Amino acid sequence: MNATPSSSDFILQVEHLSMKFGGLIAIGDLSFQARRGEITALIGPNGAGKTTVFNCITGFYKPSEGMITLNRKDGSSYLLERLPNHEIPARAKVARTFQNIRLFSGMTLLENLLVAQHNKLMKASGYTFLGLFGFSSYRQASAESIELAKHWLEKANLVDRADDPAGDLPYGAQRRLEIARAMCTGPELLCLDEPAAGLNPKESAALNELLNDIKDNTGTSILLIEHDMSVVMQISDHVVVLEYGRKISDGSPQSVRTDPRVIAAYLGVDDEEVETVLTEVGDEAVIEQLDTGPDSAHGPGSSASMMAGPVSDSVEHADQGERVTVSRGASKAAQVDARARAAVASKPVKPVAAAKPASPAPAKPTGRSPTPKPRGGRK
Amino acid sequence: MAVTVSPESDTVATPIQRAFREALYAGAVSLGLFVLFIGLRTDQNISNELILVQRWGLLALVVILTAVGRFLYVGFGQPALERAKAQKAAAPAVAAEPSFVRRNFNKIGIAVLFLYPIAMVLLFGFQGSLKWVDNFGIQILIYVMLAWGLNIVIGLAGLLDLGYVAFYAVGAYAYALLGTHFGLSFWILLPAAGCMAAFWGVMLGFPVLRLRGDYLAIVTLAFGEIIRLVLINWREVTNGSAGISGIPKVSFFGLISFNVSDPNYISKVLGIAQSGAYYKIFLYYLILLLCLLTAFVTIRLRRLPVGRAWEALREDEIACRSLGINTTTTKLTAFATGAMFGGFAGSFFAARQGFVSPESFVFLESAIILAIVVLGGMGSLGGIAVAAAVMIGGTEILRELDFLKTGLRWGDTTLIPGFGPDFTPELYRMLLFGVAMVVVMLWKPRGFVGSREPTAFLKERRAVSGSFTKEGHG
């Protein structure tokens, strides 16, 4: 465990994480850190591998390579890729929610929150035996757990419906309940998979409030996947951007927002649009260089070589339907890279300040020039 | 008729006209259907020739019954149903205060069960009560206990177990073998049989943990068959299909015996007349207490974290894992607890019969127990008990229906001819079982009691509608 003094600021350190499904690479050599007490957002276009990262962190997948270290407040560190699935919430104190809400729909709200306190109650009930004979220690623990559940129901503004079945709640309330349930496990890191999906602006604002409240009052760090940029930009302290399983940007919300690689990844870049993008960042010299590279019949041999072939990101045992097939040269960020490199070749000043090379893959000779011009990128 | 209030019926014709027409159609259809089935019957005469027996009277009876039934349904039943529906829709939904019986259903039920043998003895005398206490009381309660045990596995944890009878067999053979060979008492062997069945529950649980749904069902089914085949073929130990007989009777903690030859035989101790009924009544109260133990443990477990984890597992296994619940041990405890109660019931069964053979542990038994759980409503103890009473009591009552053989008589005249002395209504029990299941599943798809009682509440305890609960997926 590399619990160096500096690393204790980080609650989560992901190092060289790769996830391969057969020959498909869903995450390729991803490294990032999440700071304690902050909200870290993981964003990226559909199929970028965000949920796969979550599944690796929370133990639903065992990563093919890499290390995921979780540093708890008390100084202990856990290598999450080595813990069994259910011990990650129990011992490493990582809780998560799901993209498609997974509540216990036939149980009441209160029961949902009590199930979340399973391990604590299990100990209090003497692994069932003391509880079966009605020992008072269990009764006390049971009352405490109901108090905690009530606390979180109040936070989630659901206390009036505590005795209703969870399946009866409207969508937005179900999202809040799922967060409340995750918080009842007493986590140090809360992983939220698209908490704002399907919420209206008002519910979205309430969610922001809830998440800020969690961050400020419980000391729980939050890692969230989100498509709703209003949520991401307002509440997150740190943003990591993925595209096709690779990190293309990493920084504060402001720096990420203006990163041309991110813009390219999100908007899709046509050959003409690349010019616009780069123009917007203020590098006119790039434009002149753009079309000078010789055409390559085989696409961008340098940029997406490791990603060649389809990549599938199957979430929750492929029942989610979020599946992506990458054709050669699909990565928009890589195209921006390629163009930027072409620009660098002619001009020694680095044109795009925020854009660091996402993954210094060995297959990508950085000094190669002129870079072949990519063709056939998808929109 | 005053029933023409429904909006549909007067668009074409009055309900009575329509009913008359439909009755004619139904009569014609049933005549066509039954003319060869019922009207003619092939038989052998004294010289072994095939002859046709004509039963036009019976045919006419069936056709008339069909027509009259259709007439009554279309003419009166449908309008009444529509009126009831309209009334229901018109009236505002008022939460009716549940009646006294409904509120205290459990207490009344337990009281009735405790008084039942006394009432039977008072009504029919010691000898006459034997049938009612043994064939109805004990038989039904054994199935109640089995179904409550299976309910833990299926109803709470949502693991479809088609081989539950295997644990019943393990319990029965544990008592039969240890009781006959080592002479151990029932009171030692009851927990031992339970532990042994629980052990086999864990043994079954381990390999099937990763299976879900249909696959789990198939493997548990195979497990049940394996146990039965082992019992048949391991002759040195189990005596094969001949079974084990001479299983010792249960004694009242060694104080009072029910063997006539023993010095502490009950009639000698209490100074009353000899009767076989004492043992049956004792067994009745024994199985009743075992059932109540099962119910008590189930209710307690549901309010403990392990029971909530079972139900959560039924609702969503992946969410369970994300909350730090060890699904492996949770599933194993469900298997083991369910199997333990099956083992208790099995050892009681062996003690009551005095004889066990593999014949008693066929797949059909598993299917019947499963049917009781599903009919009663998965997870609900009351519903399951009612379903067991209806299903097992119903099939037992078929044996009592003598009038089906003799026909209905008024003095010396036969009103309705019977089916003759070789008609055995109990052979139709599976048919009736099936019909009853179809009817109940159409009428109440979630079983008699489809709703779920929450295990904890903040303000008030409200039953959760069955439409929200899941059946589990393995």
Side-chain angles (χ1 to χ4, degrees), chain A residues 180-231:
Chain A
R181 186 180 69 179
M183 286 310 295
C184 274
T185 63
E188 292 195 13
L189 177 67
L190 177 64
C191 301
L192 304 171
D193 198 343
E194 299 200 18
L199 300 190
N200 63 33
K202 201 177 145 205
E203 288 173 320
S204 214
L207 177 80
N208 285 358
E209 208 173 294
L210 177 64
L211 294 186
N212 273 326
D213 183 51
I214 288 173
K215 182 180 88 167
D216 297 339
N217 295 332
T218 65
T220 303
S221 319
I222 297 176
L223 180 66
L224 90 160
I225 292 178
E226 192 45 73
H227 280 302
D228 186 340
M229 284 305 144
S230 69
V231 173

Side-chain angles (χ1 to χ4, degrees), chain A residues 43 228-236 239 253-254 256-257:
Chain A
I43 64 170
D228 186 340
M229 284 305 144
S230 69
V231 173
V232 172
M233 293 303 161
Q234 273 174 35
I235 65 170
S236 52
V239 180
Q254 285 70 32
V256 163
R257 199 203 308 241

Side-chain angles (χ1 to χ4, degrees), chain A residues 119-143:
Chain A
N119 289 309
K120 195 171 69 187
L121 287 174
M122 203 68 182
K123 260 195 209 100
S125 72
Y127 297 90
T128 305
F129 293 105
L130 296 182
L132 197 55
F133 299 109
F135 275 73
S136 61
S137 65
Y138 172 66
R139 246 177 285 146
Q140 197 191 335
S142 175

Side-chain angles (χ1 to χ4, degrees), chain A residues 295-351:
Chain A
D295 264 328
S296 162
H298 305 296
S302 62
S303 62
S305 61
M306 273 190 55
M307 301 297 298
V311 169
S312 96
D313 171 8
S314 46
V315 184
E316 303 300 335
H317 313 291
D319 62 5
Q320 243 330 89
E322 189 187 346
R323 193 185 173 86
V324 173
T325 310
V326 180
S327 62
R328 288 168 72 84
S331 171
K332 305 297 182 297
Q335 292 176 23
V336 176
D337 258 1
R339 286 174 178 79
R341 259 198 312 282
V344 173
S346 67
K347 194 181 167 192
V349 183
K350 199 175 182 188

Side-chain angles (χ1 to χ4, degrees), chain B residues 279-313:
Chain B
Y279 186 52
K280 296 297 178 197
I281 292 171
F282 170 69
L283 284 181
Y284 176 87
Y285 282 112
L286 177 59
I287 185 71
L288 181 57
L289 290 178
L290 283 174
C291 280
L292 291 180
L293 174 78
T294 314
F296 172 79
V297 171
T298 309
I299 292 169
R300 261 282 158 87
L301 284 178
R302 275 196 66 206
R303 292 179 191 164
L304 285 169
V306 68
R308 287 207 195 101
W310 287 339
E311 292 201 73
L313 199 65

